Amino acid sequence: MKIWCFLCFTEDEGDDGDGVKLAQSSATFMENDNNHNNEGNDFVNDGDNKGDAGQAAEGLNSIEDDEDARLWLSGELMAMEGGETIAAEMERRWTSGVRLFPLLEGESSSSAVANGAAEMEDIDHDSYHKRARVYSGFAEGQFTSRMPSDVGNSGPPVETGFSFGNSSSARSDSEMFCQNFIINNGRNEAKKDHGDGDDDSSETDDFEVHIDLTDDLLHMVFSFLNHADLCRAARVCRQWRASSAHEDFWRHLNFENTRISLEQFENMCRRYPNAIEVNIYGVPAVNTLAMKAVTTLRNLEVLTVGKGHIGDTFFHALEDCTMLRSVTLSDAILGNGAQEIHLSHDRLHDLKITKCRVMRLSIRCPQLRTLSLKRSNMSQAQLNCPLLNLLDIASCHKLLDAAIRSAATSCPQLESLDVSNCSCVSDETLREIAQTCANLHALNASYCPNISLESVRLPMLTVLKLHSCEGITSASMNAIGDSPMLEVLELDNCNLLTSVSLHLPRLQSISLVHCRKFVDLNLQSTMLSSVAVSNCPSLRRITIASSSLQRLALQKQENLTTLVLQCQSLQEVDLSDCESLSNSVCEIFNDDGGCPMLKSLVLDNCESLTAVRFCNSSLVSLSLVGCRTVTSLELNCPRLEQICLEGCDHLESAFFQPVALRSLNLGICPKLSVLNIEAPYMASLELKGCGVLSEASIICPLLTSLDASFCGQLKDDCLSATASSCPLIESLVLMSCQSIGSDGLYSLWGLPNLTVLDLSYTFLMNLEPVFKSCFRLKVLKLLACKYLTDSSLEPLYKQGALPALQDLDLSYGTLCQTAIEDLLARCTHLTHLSLNGCVNMHDLDWDSADVQLVDYFAVSSSIGQLPDENARDPTGPANRLLQTLNCVGCSNIRKVLIPPAARFYHLSSLNLSLSVNLKEVDLACLNLVVLNLSNCSSLEILKLRCPRLTSLFLQSCYIDEAGVESAISQCSALETLDVRFCPKISSASMGKFRAACPSLKRIFSSPTPLHD
């Protein structure tokens, strides 16, 4: 799909001069905004388009003048699908005398319209209104056809363009036209399906869709564009230029920091006299442009000027701009800097004069509502604004106390006053302002060192900000307390403030940050919802009574010792790093305390806590991170779902009766000796590392996982009680629990769902309790159980014990070679077996079958497929289900031989790394995927017939290049080969390996061969 835009317009620019000038102006100032200096460029360059139009017109002339060409074209159209209709339409247009190419050649639109108005009136009646219409085929479209050289001329074949467009009804030449064509260069499927196979049959005609875009639709689309995008859109065509120039889009003229010239600005003002907002901040010649704006745009309502010199005449001219409502002046020098500026306007509502230099300022605006003189350098300000509500004179350092008093008291309707950073303001001034401005609601007197408010009464005040006021003391609170309507109070960095005691019924927010001498806080307000107290190192006592407060954060109050809360709606409390809080703080958060709705409590790093006791029916989350001195924990919180005890290194006893915890980790409490848990929803409990835990009562009916690793003091009675009260346990880890004996293991019969049991590093001598109690066991780990004898495992491979067992770990045991061989031969249901570090294990040799390797693979190759691993020989041994075999660090293994007769059809991973005496490996495993022989330093012979092997690790092996090449040649799926640090293999052999095994994708090798 292609989108073509053809410019259909006249060459007569006499009536369209304004549009071109607008295009020039708009394009230029937007390009200047992008640091381009291409001034004077039109949005649409008629001259550039005239060449293409002339070529199209010449093509049409040649066809019109030649009757043979016309007849030839009609015949070509007749041959197309639907060609009769198209040819008839072309013949009608041809004979009507209405032609488009004169327009393309530069003929005036009026003459073209006069020639064809009579014939095209019915067709083109509402073209001016641009009704959206869709056409298909070639009617009123455009196509390209190749004309033979003998029709119309004697030259070589050329491509001639034809354009059938709508002729417009009579209207002015300044109107702009644009037609959008969406051309689908598809093939005519009907012809293609019925073609005769010749080359010419594949050449089909183009199919077109012509859409007339309405002006209303363009207007709606352009309403989402900014000025820069509107200027870019105006470059497309005349219709877009006309639509983008609509005054609806240019009522708000923003030229901020734009390099716009006076001529361009005048053109914009002349073109859009109804603009209501102008921003000329940071433009060159700002004073001249400002004068032009206020004198030309009579509907102007909002004006922003700044960053330059503004003359006195500008302020006089403002009086004549009667529609003005808002004026902003910033970063400017007003007048000559030493004269008085008079600003008078009868309808102005908002005035901002910020960061300006002026000696004296006189303002008479009877309708003014807001006035900001922030950071302006002036010594006198006379105001005649009887309706002024908001006055901002912050950081006006040159304004004296008397000037501020005079300015504020002249505005009796004042509701908000900002005098922050005005160091001259005194209590007397504030007192007179309070008396004159009875409706004053908001006062910001921050950074005013001379005020104390001791003699000031502000009964209607709702917002009071007193940041860094050195004169504010505890005596000032009496005056503040006489403001019953006060809602917001900010006292940050008031260094002389020692105590705050306020009983304000409407107070909602208070802030006390970095008050170094602040000791006591007493707040009583039913509507208090926000309390910000931080970095007050001397604070000792806090008393808060509020029915609206929901969150309280008092972090890093190192000397806070007393906390009294009566907050019925309080839900979150954070007392992190309050190192002086004692155990009595727990009473506040009990059910009979003052926080019945408490859900989250954080007491991190409260190092003075030793015994934590909570009885709270609403508490959901508790954090005691870093409370290293806590030795006792008692929680009666039936809704408690989350607790964090990291860093509670000295916790000795813990009682959770009851709690709603679903998981609990007490392995980080190494000194825990007594544990009592009643958790009806708990599913996972970890006691790993509680080496002195001797008493444990665990009542968790839904518990499925219990890890009691290294709990050396746990005895059989504790295990029996746990098995009785937690019947759903599926995973039980008793690693290094040396006190657990046969009696405790017999109690496991009460765990019918037990599937995972870890008894590693125990002193077990007999596994009979396990075989009789754990019928559904799937995973059994017996690492380093050195007291197990060879006969301990006989029930496994002789009596069929643990029929569901799949994973067995006998690593670092003392089993002999015979027991290991019997286990491998008879426990065919095992899927994972680990024999790491078994020093008594010797060669793994299963070469005792009648079927030879050569015959086995010869038969397989003769039938074209691998043998069926699921097929069983009724006269032979059963197929082994073993998938993973780990024999890491078995130093006495010298030979590993697994022929097909061994029936290891499911073996996918074999790890023989660190077997330093291993010399020969001969494997024929159909499904082996990973083979690890790393650090087998004695390896010399490697034979592999593993068609599915993908990863082979031979790191630090002494095998030579020929052995590796021969081994991998039988592994057609091998992708990863690791031969790093192999002294007999050089990096030059990588090419041979890839040739021997084309499937290789990754070879890891050392940069240079290593030598002894």
Side-chain angles (χ1 to χ4, degrees):
M1 177 75 68
K2 296 183 180 179
I3 300 177
W4 299 84
C5 182
F6 296 90
L7 306 182
C8 302
F9 48 84
T10 68
E11 293 294 331
D12 188 0
E13 298 292 342
D15 297 333
D16 202 30
D18 292 341
V20 175
K21 291 180 180 179
L22 168 63
Q24 294 174 348
S25 302
S26 303
T28 304
F29 80 76
M30 287 303 172
E31 290 175 358
N32 288 336
D33 192 21
N34 295 323
N35 296 325
H36 297 294
N37 297 322
N38 301 327
E39 298 185 0
N41 293 332
D42 287 346
F43 283 130
V44 180
N45 191 335
D46 296 343
D48 294 339
N49 297 318
K50 187 174 180 181
D52 296 336
Q55 292 178 5
E58 291 176 2
L60 290 174
N61 278 328
S62 63
I63 296 178
E64 184 194 37
D65 295 339
D66 196 331
E67 183 67 19
D68 295 336
R70 183 172 67 85
L71 295 176
W72 170 84
L73 178 58
S74 300
E76 288 290 315
L77 292 174
M78 291 290 290
M80 299 178 184
E81 182 181 3
E84 296 179 0
T85 303
I86 300 173
E89 174 66 16
M90 191 198 74
E91 184 69 15
R92 185 187 64 80
R93 288 175 175 268
W94 209 309
T95 57
S96 66
V98 179
R99 306 186 306 273
L100 180 63
F101 53 86
L103 291 176
L104 299 177
E105 290 179 330
E107 183 179 323
S108 65
S109 61
S110 59
S111 61
V113 170
N115 290 335
E119 293 291 333
M120 299 301 297
E121 182 176 1
D122 295 335
I123 301 173
D124 227 20
H125 176 69
D126 46 8
S127 169
Y128 177 77
H129 301 285
K130 289 292 181 180
R131 293 187 306 176
R133 295 180 296 175
V134 180
Y135 307 93
S136 63
F138 288 87
E140 297 188 3
Q142 185 268 352
F143 63 90
T144 302
S145 178
R146 182 173 296 274
M147 182 180 292
S149 58
D150 58 345
V151 179
N153 55 41
S154 57
V158 295
E159 290 192 0
T160 307
F162 300 90
S163 178
F164 299 99
N166 290 335
S167 143
S168 67
S169 57
R171 53 185 177 266
S172 63
D173 292 340
S174 61
E175 297 289 346
M176 294 172 289
F177 301 89
C178 178
Q179 293 180 339
N180 293 312
F181 294 83
I182 301 175
I183 301 178
N184 183 358
N185 293 324
R187 295 294 183 182
N188 192 326
E189 296 296 335
K191 281 195 172 185
K192 185 175 182 179
D193 294 339
H194 297 84
D196 53 1
D198 298 335
D199 294 340
D200 294 338
S201 64
S202 64
E203 296 180 1
T204 58
D205 302 314
D206 291 340
F207 180 78
E208 295 184 354
V209 175
H210 168 206
I211 298 180
D212 241 351
L213 210 57
T214 66
D215 290 338
D216 293 338
L217 181 59
L218 272 180
H219 191 87
M220 183 184 67
V221 172
F222 285 174
S223 65
F224 296 97
L225 303 182
N226 56 30
H227 288 170
D229 292 334
L230 285 172
C231 290
R232 295 187 183 98
R235 293 178 178 271
V236 174
C237 64
R238 292 200 169 211
Q239 185 194 9
W240 284 33
R241 186 176 74 182
S243 296
S244 64
H246 197 281
E247 64 176 0
D248 288 351
F249 308 138
W250 299 91
R251 292 186 180 273
H252 304 271
L253 305 179
N254 185 2
F255 305 115
E256 183 176 351
N257 296 319
T258 302
R259 297 175 58 187
I260 181 173
S261 66
L262 176 60
E263 180 183 359
Q264 295 167 347
F265 187 75
E266 288 178 346
N267 188 21
M268 294 298 294
C269 293
R270 183 171 59 255
R271 184 69 179 180
Y272 303 107
N274 294 323
I276 61 174
E277 181 178 350
V278 173
N279 185 347
I280 51 175
Y281 176 88
V283 300
V286 62
N287 185 63
T288 306
L289 268 62
M291 288 292 298
K292 180 60 65 176
V294 298
T295 57
T296 305
L297 305 175
R298 291 305 177 182
N299 294 321
L300 188 62
E301 297 180 3
V302 180
L303 176 62
T304 301
V305 182
K307 210 169 185 178
H309 184 275
I310 307 298
D312 183 57
T313 55
F314 167 76
F315 297 95
H316 293 295
L318 285 179
E319 299 182 20
D320 299 329
C321 196
T322 57
M323 302 298 293
L324 204 57
R325 295 292 183 270
S326 175
V327 175
T328 300
L329 303 172
S330 58
D331 295 296
I333 300 175
L334 307 184
N336 57 14
Q339 67 181 112
E340 182 175 356
I341 296 298
H342 298 273
L343 194 155
S344 177
H345 199 283
D346 294 333
R347 304 183 69 176
L348 195 63
H349 284 187
D350 302 309
L351 176 61
K352 294 181 182 179
I353 303 178
T354 59
K355 296 187 288 185
C356 293
R357 292 177 57 186
V358 60
M359 181 62 68
R360 293 179 299 276
L361 187 63
S362 176
I363 300 175
R364 189 199 66 82
C365 297
Q367 299 295 326
L368 195 64
R369 297 295 192 276
T370 63
L371 172 61
S372 176
L373 304 175
K374 189 174 183 178
R375 298 179 64 182
S376 291
N377 190 2
M378 67 187 73
S379 60
Q380 189 73 26
Q382 296 181 358
L383 304 181
N384 185 3
C385 308
L387 299 182
L388 190 67
N389 299 134
L390 186 148
L391 176 60
D392 184 357
I393 52 176
S395 302
C396 293
H397 301 290
K398 287 191 176 183
L399 276 181
L400 300 179
D401 186 38
I404 295 175
R405 185 188 316 163
S406 174
T409 55
S410 64
C411 306
Q413 301 297 323
L414 199 62
E415 297 180 0
S416 177
L417 176 62
D418 189 346
V419 293
S420 58
N421 274 298
C422 294
S423 57
C424 298
V425 176
S426 63
D427 284 341
E428 182 180 358
T429 295
L430 293 181
R431 184 168 54 251
E432 291 193 20
I433 293 174
Q435 294 174 356
T436 306
C437 305
N439 295 323
L440 188 63
H441 296 317
L443 174 61
N444 188 351
S446 302
Y447 303 96
C448 296
N450 297 326
I451 64 172
S452 64
L453 296 183
E454 294 181 8
S455 60
V456 181
R457 296 296 181 266
L458 299 166
M460 301 300 294
L461 203 63
T462 59
V463 178
L464 178 59
K465 298 182 180 181
L466 299 172
H467 294 221
S468 301
C469 292
E470 298 177 0
I472 297 298
T473 62
S474 299
S476 305
M477 297 301 106
N478 295 328
I480 296 176
D482 292 335
S483 301
M485 307 297 292
L486 193 62
E487 298 177 358
V488 177
L489 177 60
E490 298 181 4
L491 299 170
D492 299 347
N493 293 291
C494 293
N495 296 324
L496 297 181
L497 187 63
T498 57
S499 64
V500 173
S501 180
L502 295 173
H503 302 268
L504 298 172
R506 293 180 176 270
L507 187 64
Q508 299 178 12
S509 174
I510 186 171
S511 177
L512 292 159
V513 179
H514 292 289
C515 297
R516 293 181 297 176
K517 297 183 178 181
F518 187 55
V519 176
D520 188 5
L521 174 62
N522 188 343
L523 297 175
Q524 293 187 19
S525 174
T526 57
M527 301 182 65
L528 186 64
S529 59
S530 174
V531 178
V533 179
S534 64
N535 294 304
C536 298
S538 302
L539 184 61
R540 296 179 180 274
R541 294 178 299 276
I542 294 180
T543 302
I544 301 177
S546 171
S547 58
S548 300
L549 186 64
Q550 295 186 357
R551 187 180 187 278
L552 178 62
L554 301 170
Q555 301 99 327
K556 297 184 179 181
Q557 306 305 319
E558 299 175 355
N559 293 313
L560 182 63
T561 57
T562 304
L563 180 63
V564 179
L565 298 176
Q566 291 294 330
C567 304
Q568 304 302 316
S569 301
L570 190 61
Q571 297 184 8
E572 300 180 18
V573 176
D574 188 349
L575 299 173
S576 302
D577 299 294
C578 295
E579 299 177 357
S580 300
L581 283 177
S582 61
N583 297 333
S584 60
V585 73
C586 299
E587 299 176 1
I588 304 171
F589 305 111
N590 288 332
D591 283 338
D592 55 354
C595 306
M597 302 294 292
L598 187 66
K599 293 183 179 180
S600 174
L601 177 60
V602 179
L603 295 171
D604 296 348
N605 300 312
C606 295
E607 297 184 356
S608 295
L609 295 177
T610 58
V612 177
R613 295 179 178 86
F614 288 116
C615 180
N616 190 311
S617 58
S618 63
L619 191 63
V620 176
S621 174
L622 175 63
S623 178
L624 296 170
V625 174
C627 296
R628 303 183 184 280
T629 57
V630 174
T631 58
S632 175
L633 178 63
E634 297 182 18
L635 298 178
N636 184 358
C637 305
R639 294 187 179 182
L640 187 66
E641 298 180 357
Q642 181 179 1
I643 186 171
C644 191
L645 299 172
E646 294 182 9
C648 297
D649 301 335
H650 295 81
L651 185 64
E652 298 177 359
S653 61
F655 296 87
F656 301 88
Q657 295 177 321
V659 291
L661 295 172
R662 286 168 171 76
S663 63
L664 179 62
N665 181 9
L666 293 174
I668 52 181
C669 304
K671 295 186 178 182
L672 185 66
S673 59
V674 179
L675 175 63
N676 195 330
I677 299 180
E678 182 181 343
Y681 307 109
M682 184 172 291
S684 175
L685 176 61
E686 186 171 342
L687 303 174
K688 186 177 182 179
C690 297
V692 298
L693 182 63
S694 57
E695 300 180 17
S697 174
I698 303 174
I699 304 176
C700 304
L702 299 182
L703 190 68
T704 59
S705 176
L706 174 60
D707 187 350
S709 303
F710 304 100
C711 294
Q713 301 298 324
L714 282 181
K715 296 181 172 55
D716 292 341
D717 56 346
C718 179
L719 181 59
S720 300
T722 302
S724 176
S725 60
C726 307
L728 299 182
I729 291 180
E730 299 176 0
S731 174
L732 179 61
V733 180
L734 299 173
M735 181 187 297
S736 294
C737 294
Q738 291 88 356
S739 300
I740 298 295
S742 298
D743 294 339
L745 295 179
Y746 274 117
S747 67
L748 299 183
W749 68 269
L751 302 177
N753 297 324
L754 187 65
T755 57
V756 178
L757 179 61
D758 190 346
L759 299 173
S760 303
Y761 298 94
T762 58
F763 298 152
L764 292 178
M765 301 177 63
N766 186 8
L767 293 177
E768 183 178 355
V770 177
F771 296 146
K772 291 184 177 182
S773 304
C774 308
F775 301 105
R776 298 184 180 181
L777 202 62
K778 294 182 179 180
V779 178
L780 178 60
K781 295 186 178 182
L782 300 170
L783 284 81
C785 293
K786 298 185 181 297
Y787 293 94
L788 288 178
T789 61
D790 294 342
S791 60
S792 301
L793 295 176
E794 287 184 0
L796 277 179
Y797 53 84
K798 289 185 178 181
Q799 301 175 11
L802 303 180
L805 189 65
Q806 298 178 0
D807 189 341
L808 179 62
D809 194 341
L810 298 172
S811 300
Y812 309 105
T814 57
L815 296 180
C816 66
Q817 175 73 16
T818 303
I820 294 175
E821 289 179 352
D822 291 341
L823 185 68
L824 290 171
R826 301 183 183 183
C827 292
T828 57
H829 56 279
L830 288 177
T831 59
H832 297 78
L833 179 61
S834 295
L835 300 170
N836 303 326
C838 292
V839 295
N840 294 329
M841 185 173 62
H842 300 287
D843 298 347
L844 295 176
D845 188 355
W846 284 281
D847 190 13
S848 59
D850 297 334
V851 181
Q852 298 297 324
L853 291 177
V854 177
D855 297 337
Y856 172 81
F857 280 98
V859 173
S860 301
S861 60
S862 65
I863 63 177
Q865 60 182 4
L866 295 173
D868 186 2
E869 60 228 34
N870 296 320
R872 291 192 54 180
D873 184 0
T875 61
N879 294 342
R880 294 180 173 84
L881 301 179
L882 192 63
Q883 299 177 12
T884 303
L885 178 60
N886 295 320
C887 299
V888 178
C890 296
S891 56
N892 292 324
I893 294 182
R894 291 177 173 80
K895 181 180 180 180
V896 176
L897 178 59
I898 303 180
R903 296 181 179 270
F904 280 99
Y905 295 144
H906 299 276
L907 187 63
S908 61
S909 177
L910 177 60
N911 192 347
L912 298 169
S913 60
L914 295 173
S915 299
V916 293
N917 293 315
L918 181 62
K919 293 185 177 180
E920 182 180 354
V921 175
D922 191 345
L923 305 177
C925 300
L926 296 178
N927 292 309
L928 189 64
V929 176
V930 179
L931 175 61
N932 192 347
L933 298 172
S934 299
N935 295 287
C936 295
S937 54
S938 301
L939 184 63
E940 297 178 354
I941 301 174
L942 179 61
K943 298 180 181 180
L944 301 177
R945 297 190 179 185
C946 307
R948 292 186 175 91
L949 186 68
T950 61
S951 300
L952 175 61
F953 300 94
L954 298 173
Q955 184 176 344
S956 301
C957 291
Y958 278 75
I959 190 171
D960 56 13
E961 299 175 357
V964 175
E965 184 178 355
S966 174
I968 65 177
S969 62
Q970 301 293 326
C971 304
S972 58
L974 188 63
E975 296 180 357
T976 302
L977 175 63
D978 188 350
V979 291
R980 288 175 292 182
F981 311 112
C982 293
K984 295 184 179 181
I985 298 178
S986 64
S987 57
S989 304
M990 301 305 108
K992 296 181 180 179
F993 294 159
R994 294 186 182 277
C997 184
S999 62
L1000 270 176
K1001 297 180 179 179
R1002 295 170 295 274
I1003 301 179
F1004 300 98
S1005 62
S1006 301
T1008 55
L1010 301 178
H1011 301 283
D1012 295 338

